[in-house]
Amino acid sequence: MKHKLLMLLLCLLLSLCLLAACAQTQEPAVDEQEQEQPEATTRELVDMAGRTITLPSEVATGLGTGAIGSYMLYTLDPDTMVGVNYEFNDQEKAYILEAYHDLPSFGQGDGFNLEAVVAAAPDVLINYGSVNDATISSADDIQAQTGIPCVVLNSDMEETAAAYRMLGEIFGMPERAEELAVYAEEALAFAESIDIPEEERVSVYFGNGLENLETAPVGSWHASLLELVDAINVAVVEGEVTNRIDVSAEQVIGWNPEVVLLNGEPTEDLSPVQAVEAFLADARYQNVQAVVNDQVYAIPKYPYSWFDRPPGPNRLIGIYWLAELLYPENFDLDIKAEAREFYALYYHMELSDEQLVDLLGY
């Protein structure tokens, strides 16, 4: 009897030992299941053209396929840029942080150096433009040829805030992008609030080029700021025009604008101030209203134009400038203070008094 009891106790003890051993051998399997899965190395983004793009999980560097794409990167954070699309001239360099003056240039358009881009290996390419078949095809082609994800951002002015928010998502900088987006929304809301009676609207001629005889007619995005601030664009031509056109001095005289805005010619190193001097000295224009009333102005343009080129957020400050210039009695604006805020936020620099005079002419 005692022997049987002893055997039962031994069996029970052996069973407990086996159970304990099984539990111990199973614990590592539980631990393995509870271990964190490795982080994904890629993520997907639907860009502003509706294209699904595979991005690295972390994006640190980028390059614009054109100057305006690189402009977006510079305004977000210049340290994201692996290069630019053209070499800055001396006037532009005065408004660009010195550390970025000599970044390599990769060209743009037909001159976009794909081999050099591949060698530079940015994490992402930014194609900032109108969302249309041509833009989408270009982005697809560049992505296929380089193997680098190419994101399309919509350059329409009303989409500026959304473009910045997507850029912030791409680079993991949502707070910085939000600052830029909010400014854009406020500037466009201000433009939307402008309501000048038709009989009080000012007529304007926008001149560009060596002879000031290249203009942007009604319908061209180059003159979109005139429409935003309820100005009258005197350049009305037949047919649909989306770019700039050449006109004659006789047409300008016939239009007889109340205000003339001049951009100069950046490719020929003709500054807006020099363009104004040439226009005022031209005997043909002496009876034009704008000349008679001393209403011929240089367009602020450094590092980028406040009025048209390129078609990006650089034009936001132009909304305030043009509203104050054309309708000073309608708006309580301090354009110098506004310019200081814009340049600090978008260009990472504090404007000096001398730079303000250089930009505004006063």
Side-chain angles (χ1 to χ4, degrees), residues 76 100 106 112 114 129 135 162 202-203 229 297 362:
L76 180 75
Y100 308 97
F106 292 90
F112 194 48
L114 296 178
T135 298
V202 174
S203 62
V229 301
Y297 300 100
Y362 59 89

Side-chain angles (χ1 to χ4, degrees), residues 23-51:
Q24 288 178 353
T25 57
Q26 289 176 358
E27 281 180 2
V30 173
D31 288 344
E32 288 175 8
Q33 291 175 0
E34 291 179 352
Q35 285 180 356
E36 292 185 6
Q37 296 297 318
E39 292 185 7
T41 58
T42 62
R43 56 191 165 109
E44 287 192 343
L45 173 90
V46 178
D47 71 10
M48 297 182 76
R51 300 160 61 247

Side-chain angles (χ1 to χ4, degrees), residues 70-145:
S70 293
Y71 168 96
M72 295 291 286
L73 293 175
Y74 182 85
T75 56
L76 180 75
D77 183 346
D79 283 342
T80 62
M81 304 168 67
V82 301
V84 292
N85 302 90
Y86 69 92
E87 295 181 3
F88 298 120
N89 61 37
D90 289 340
Q91 292 94 339
E92 291 165 339
K93 284 181 178 179
Y95 298 88
I96 296 288
L97 297 177
E98 187 174 356
Y100 308 97
H101 285 185
D102 299 316
L103 288 173
S105 175
F106 292 90
Q108 56 187 327
D110 293 337
F112 194 48
N113 190 335
L114 296 178
E115 290 184 2
V117 171
V118 171
D123 295 326
V124 67
L125 298 172
I126 301 299
N127 187 323
Y128 189 77
S130 298
V131 176
N132 53 40
D133 290 343
T135 298
I136 292 171
S137 177
S138 174
D140 288 343
D141 288 345
I142 290 172
Q143 182 169 285
Q145 292 177 67

Side-chain angles (χ1 to χ4, degrees), residues 278-296:
F279 193 93
L280 291 173
D282 194 320
R284 295 173 295 180
Y285 302 131
Q286 296 310 299
N287 292 323
V288 171
Q289 289 185 84
V291 174
V292 172
N293 296 320
D294 195 25
Q295 298 286 298
V296 181

Side-chain angles (χ1 to χ4, degrees), residues 316-339:
L316 294 171
I317 181 63
I319 294 172
Y320 296 108
W321 167 71
L322 201 53
E324 183 190 58
L325 185 74
L326 299 180
Y327 307 111
E329 296 180 357
N330 295 69
F331 304 105
D332 183 19
L333 293 171
D334 182 345
I335 192 58
K336 290 188 175 182
E338 195 65 47

